[in-house]
Amino acid sequence: EPEVTQTPSHQVTQMGQEVILRCVPISNHLYFYWYRQILGQKVEFLVSFYNNEISEKSEIFDDQFSVERPDGSNFTLKIRSTKLEDSAMYFCATGTGGYEQYFGPGTRLTVT
Amino acid sequence: DQQVKQNSPSLSVQEGRISILNCDYTNSMFDYFLWYKKYPAEGPTFLISISSIKDKNEDGRFTVFLNKSAKHLSLHIVPSQPGDSAVYFCAGNAGGTSYGKLTFGQGTILTVHP
C-alpha cells in the first residue's frame, strides 16, 4: 500500500538555525499539508498546499515558515530561524482532494 | 481552540467487548468528520469517516455514529482486539475555503486487554 514518507525521522538543531523537513507524498496525490503536535497537545494544522501555492495557513504559520515542492516529488517545510517552542512532531499529510488525508510517520524536531 | 473535544483521555476494554469512543464539536461549519488511529512513533492512520448528511457509517468492526443536533459523534469498535490499542483522534473538516484543514480533538488512549 502506498504511503507518505518523511525525512529525517529526528532532527536536533540549535536555536536560530534553519531546518528543512522533507516529505514524499503518495504518487497520485496533489494536495499537501503540514501539521504539528507539540508534546502533550493536539495535532494542529499548519498549512495546505495545492497547485504550487498555499491554499490556507494557520496563525502558527508565520514568516519563519515556508513550504515548497522543489522538484515535483518532495514537499518541504522550512523553518528559517528555529525557536525552542518549535520543538514538536511535524506530520506531512497528502490527499487527492477529498476529505481524507493520509499522514506520514512524522519528523521529531528538537530545538536546543 | 476547543472546536473538537474528546473528554475521555483513556478507555480500557476487555478483548471481545465493544469500545465506544466519544467526540463533541462546537463548529457548526464542520461537514465531514474523520477518525484516525495512532500508534507510538507513527503518524495518524485514517480509519473511518462520515459526512454530516449521514448519521451512521460502518466499515467492518468500526462504526461511526453522528448526532448532529447534539454535535456529538462516536466510534464503536466491536469486537475489540488487543491490536486496536492505540490513540484515537476525531477530526472535523469545515469544507469550503477550509477544505483541507482538519481540526483534531485531544485523542483518547484505548487499551484492549486480552
Side-chain angles (χ1 to χ4, degrees):
Chain A
E1 187 174 321
E3 56 185 27
V4 177
T5 59
Q6 289 184 244
T7 54
S9 56
H10 190 191
Q11 174 89 48
V12 181
T13 189
Q14 289 192 324
M15 198 167 50
Q17 295 296 303
E18 175 184 285
V19 294
I20 298 176
L21 310 183
R22 291 182 169 81
C23 169
V24 178
I26 295 172
S27 63
N28 63 336
H29 287 189
L30 298 175
Y31 294 78
F32 312 113
Y33 315 88
W34 284 101
Y35 292 80
R36 78 173 186 189
Q37 186 179 27
I38 294 171
L39 189 64
Q41 297 187 23
K42 292 184 179 185
V43 176
E44 303 172 285
F45 170 80
L46 292 178
V47 65
S48 58
F49 188 86
Y50 170 69
N51 202 26
N52 281 320
E53 59 183 34
I54 290 173
S55 309
E56 185 178 1
K57 58 183 180 180
S58 71
E59 53 193 37
I60 302 167
F61 193 89
D62 61 21
D63 291 344
Q64 298 282 37
F65 291 88
S66 63
V67 288
E68 64 174 0
R69 198 158 182 234
D71 56 11
S73 59
N74 286 292
F75 177 51
T76 62
L77 174 70
K78 182 193 289 186
I79 309 175
R80 260 179 274 283
S81 177
T82 50
K83 308 188 217 23
L84 293 176
E85 54 265 37
D86 293 328
S87 295
M89 281 292 289
Y90 287 81
F91 295 107
C92 171
T94 73
T96 58
Y99 287 96
E100 290 85 6
Q101 295 175 24
Y102 298 87
F103 284 74
T107 292
R108 178 171 299 284
L109 177 64
T110 303
V111 182
T112 61
Chain B
D1 178 3
Q2 292 290 309
Q3 295 185 53
V4 179
K5 288 173 71 171
Q6 295 175 254
N7 290 316
S8 299
S10 63
L11 175 68
S12 184
V13 169
Q14 207 67 31
E15 181 179 7
R17 302 284 189 129
I18 186 171
S19 296
I20 300 176
L21 298 114
N22 293 301
C23 179
D24 297 297
Y25 64 95
T26 57
N27 188 342
S28 299
M29 300 302 292
F30 287 146
D31 60 3
Y32 210 80
F33 300 91
L34 304 93
W35 283 93
Y36 283 83
K37 177 171 75 171
K38 187 181 180 303
Y39 293 117
E42 295 184 13
T45 301
F46 170 70
L47 199 56
I48 191 169
S49 59
I50 188 167
S51 163
S52 63
I53 62 172
K54 299 194 171 183
D55 55 19
K56 178 181 173 181
N57 187 28
E58 193 171 349
D59 183 3
R61 297 186 297 116
F62 303 92
T63 304
V64 56
F65 295 92
L66 175 61
N67 182 334
K68 209 171 167 184
S69 61
K71 292 192 171 69
H72 177 84
L73 61 155
S74 61
L75 174 68
H76 293 211
I77 307 172
V78 56
S80 301
Q81 299 172 353
D84 296 329
S85 298
V87 182
Y88 288 78
F89 296 96
C90 70
N93 190 311
T97 57
S98 294
Y99 189 59
K101 174 182 174 181
L102 295 179
T103 303
F104 283 87
Q106 307 94 309
T108 297
I109 302 169
L110 173 66
T111 304
V112 180
H113 298 283

